[in-house]
Amino acid sequence: MEVKQIGMYLIIAGAVILALKFINAIISFILSDFLLGLGTLLLLAGAAMLAMKFIKENRDDAKDEPFRGIDQ
């Protein structure tokens, strides 16, 4: 391995470690307070439900669309 390649791997590993530590700090802060945790849980649940509704609507709309002017 070249020194340049080893340096890139070390930079990537350091960035991953910092990102994981940062994410861990945010999650532990949110879960330390009941209302913050509940609010986050409700926010994620609402976002997931909204995303599933959009996906279902796109699938249903795709069935009704013509394919290059020819109805399916």
Side-chain angles (χ1 to χ4, degrees):
M1 283 184 146
E2 293 182 27
V3 174
K4 184 178 178 181
Q5 194 174 13
I6 292 172
M8 289 301 295
Y9 287 145
L10 290 174
I11 290 171
I12 292 170
V16 167
I17 290 171
L18 287 175
L20 289 174
K21 182 67 177 170
F22 185 68
I23 291 169
N24 185 22
I26 291 173
I27 291 173
S28 64
F29 172 72
I30 289 172
L31 295 179
S32 67
D33 184 22
F34 175 72
L35 290 178
L36 276 176
L38 181 63
T40 304
L41 182 65
L42 293 174
L43 183 87
L44 292 175
M49 290 174 62
L50 192 61
M52 290 187 329
K53 182 173 175 19
F54 284 141
I55 291 170
K56 184 180 181 303
E57 284 180 1
N58 283 341
R59 270 194 213 143
D60 292 344
D61 290 345
K63 292 177 185 175
D64 296 335
E65 291 180 6
F67 180 71
R68 294 184 188 167
I70 302 170
D71 289 330
Q72 294 179 350

